[in-house]
Amino acid sequence: FVRLFGLLERPDVVVRGFKGASAKGLGRADNENGSSITRYVTSPFSRGLERIVFSFGSVDVHLSFYYMKYVKGEDIDLLSIANRYVDFVANLTTDPSVQKIVLGVYYSPLQDETVGPSLISYGSLTEEQSELVSGSKDAELRVRQERVRSFNEALRTRCEQRGITYDDINDEMSDAETMQMKDLYRDVSNHNIHVVWETTLILWVQKWKWFRDLTPPGFIQGLEDTLEEYLKTKPWAQTKHAAKQQELKMLINNN
């Protein structure tokens, strides 16, 4: 989820993605990803560091929740995970001037009927287990989005307690009444829990002046090209390509 910031190609902007990494993992003392992050922020490479942006938690909320409940028969403790995640960030040894930013988890872009199949696609559940999910309230949109909101509120509260910046753009990305993510930010794949990089990145450019100041002239317009390249990797979704490209073009024209 953090890789979308990699669309801004600058030598002074370092993007590190940890595939399949969870917020829960960062709370463990022996976690490899946590150790890697710690080594980087304390290494000579981090000299001149101004801010660090963290984007973890989607695996926990959108995937691990179902694995714990429908495979292990246990409830996931999202509050504890949120607190330990923020504590990990707060405890990183950095210069006091370095701003630490924790991003909230994006809302689920899935329709109710694709939640079960999506969990199969990600290898989280078997077909039989996913059918149980599909027939439960856990697949319902409002239940899923409230889970995200609850986790994000826990992040926000802990960030305030630890003196860390919290931010999210779920209000901008979703319908205020239904909590459904707007098509503009949903992937062409019905099973994908990731958001569209280009349209989502524009929201962050709008929200963060410091990030906007890093973008070169024509950056937002150039996102049309990166979206086109991405859509080429999804040839089976040709009917959705034109609509997605048109949505981005309209968003760009309004900026």
Side-chain angles (χ1 to χ4, degrees):
F1 288 86
V2 77
R3 293 181 193 273
L4 64 88
F5 293 106
L7 292 175
L8 176 61
E9 297 181 352
R10 288 178 55 117
D12 55 349
V13 176
V14 178
V15 178
R16 292 286 304 276
F18 299 90
K19 186 176 182 180
S22 66
K24 181 179 180 179
L26 289 184
R28 299 187 182 125
D30 59 347
N31 182 258
E32 183 177 338
N33 296 326
S35 298
S36 177
I37 294 170
T38 300
R39 285 194 301 270
Y40 178 79
V41 300
T42 57
S43 73
F45 295 105
S46 66
R47 289 173 182 168
L49 188 66
E50 295 182 5
R51 58 184 53 83
I52 318 174
V53 179
F54 293 85
S55 183
F56 290 86
S58 292
V59 169
D60 307 83
V61 177
H62 295 311
L63 300 178
S64 297
F65 167 85
Y66 295 99
Y67 176 80
M68 291 294 293
K69 183 171 183 177
Y70 291 89
V71 177
K72 302 193 72 174
E74 302 173 9
D75 290 329
I76 190 169
D77 188 351
L78 291 176
L79 175 59
S80 176
I81 290 173
N83 288 342
R84 292 184 179 183
Y85 166 31
V86 174
D87 286 346
F88 166 80
V89 175
N91 292 335
L92 286 171
T93 303
T94 60
D95 187 276
S97 64
V98 175
Q99 182 185 22
K100 298 173 181 177
I101 304 174
V102 170
L103 303 187
V105 172
Y106 296 108
Y107 276 157
S108 170
L110 304 178
Q111 303 289 348
D112 292 1
E113 63 271 16
T114 61
V115 174
S118 173
L119 291 165
I120 297 176
S121 297
Y122 279 96
S124 299
L125 301 183
T126 64
E127 184 172 348
E128 182 178 356
Q129 291 162 346
S130 73
E131 288 177 356
L132 293 176
V133 172
S134 297
S136 74
K137 286 189 173 296
D138 291 328
E140 295 179 4
L141 178 66
R142 187 162 294 276
V143 173
R144 288 182 283 122
Q145 308 303 46
E146 287 293 352
R147 187 187 316 127
V148 174
R149 180 178 289 178
S150 177
F151 183 77
N152 285 349
E153 192 55 39
L155 290 178
R156 185 194 303 275
T157 299
R158 195 63 162 189
C159 282
E160 290 175 353
Q161 294 171 348
R162 299 302 307 267
I164 293 175
T165 300
Y166 168 86
D167 218 341
D168 73 59
I169 50 176
N170 280 332
D171 286 346
E172 294 89 333
M173 297 177 72
S174 62
D175 181 275
E177 293 186 6
T178 67
M179 300 177 75
Q180 174 70 60
M181 183 178 288
K182 298 174 183 176
D183 287 343
L184 185 62
Y185 308 104
R186 298 175 62 229
D187 192 78
V188 293
S189 168
N190 292 331
H191 294 183
N192 200 342
I193 63 172
H194 290 77
V195 294
V196 175
W197 287 8
E198 289 77 7
T199 52
T200 304
L201 190 62
I202 289 176
L203 289 181
W204 288 119
V205 171
Q206 293 172 337
K207 190 158 194 172
W208 290 334
K209 182 182 182 303
W210 64 264
F211 189 64
R212 184 165 61 252
D213 290 344
L214 293 173
T215 61
F219 172 73
I220 289 181
Q221 289 72 18
L223 294 177
E224 285 190 74
D225 295 331
T226 64
L227 178 61
E228 183 177 354
E229 288 302 309
Y230 170 70
L231 292 176
K232 288 179 181 178
T233 69
K234 310 282 186 178
W236 42 264
Q238 286 291 339
T239 57
K240 298 182 181 179
H241 287 188
K244 190 64 63 180
Q245 289 169 318
Q246 186 60 32
E247 289 168 353
L248 177 59
K249 189 180 295 291
M250 291 174 62
L251 184 60
I252 289 173
N253 290 338
N254 290 329
N255 279 270

